[in-house]
Amino acid sequence: MRTSLDFPDALFKHLKTRAAQEGRTLRDLVIELVERGLTAREVVDPQKRFEARPLIIPNRGPLPLDLSKLTNADLYELINEEDDERTIKLLGRG
């Protein structure tokens, strides 16, 4: 079936360039992208698709340390200590 689509200039240039780079016709590329979009599982609001998703950090309760009494050097040492412990576990030496 034939139809006409009105693409924004920048999008059309992007599609045309990609089709050329892949050695395909514009028609084949657009059909593949539309089919892929229709079979996608997650429905994304087009206005929000480029927004960063917030990082989710699990809540493990309050820290057992009084952070107000620690210096930057103390915090740095704690961070490195945790990294070292993780590395030792990953290497199976712990």
Side-chain angles (χ1 to χ4, degrees):
M1 173 183 250
R2 287 187 156 266
T3 190
S4 295
L5 298 172
D6 184 25
F7 291 112
D9 289 341
L11 176 59
F12 181 76
K13 287 177 186 175
H14 182 83
L15 289 167
K16 193 85 164 150
T17 301
R18 182 167 168 184
Q21 288 173 338
E22 295 179 7
R24 314 166 56 169
T25 65
L26 180 63
R27 177 185 183 276
D28 289 344
L29 177 64
V30 170
I31 287 172
E32 180 194 327
L33 293 172
V34 169
E35 286 175 344
R36 204 183 312 166
L38 290 173
T39 58
R41 294 178 136 186
E42 183 180 357
V43 178
V44 178
D45 179 355
Q47 298 298 321
K48 295 182 180 178
R49 68 180 168 200
F50 295 113
E51 290 179 9
R53 293 190 175 134
L55 179 64
I56 298 173
I57 300 172
N59 181 0
R60 295 188 179 127
L63 292 174
L65 304 170
D66 183 4
L67 297 179
S68 65
K69 295 180 181 175
L70 294 176
T71 65
N72 285 345
D74 294 332
L75 292 173
Y76 188 74
E77 189 176 318
L78 284 171
I79 290 169
N80 286 335
E81 181 181 300
E82 290 176 8
D83 288 344
D84 291 344
E85 289 173 7
R86 245 182 264 124
T87 303
I88 290 168
K89 286 179 185 175
L90 287 173
L91 294 175
R93 297 181 185 166

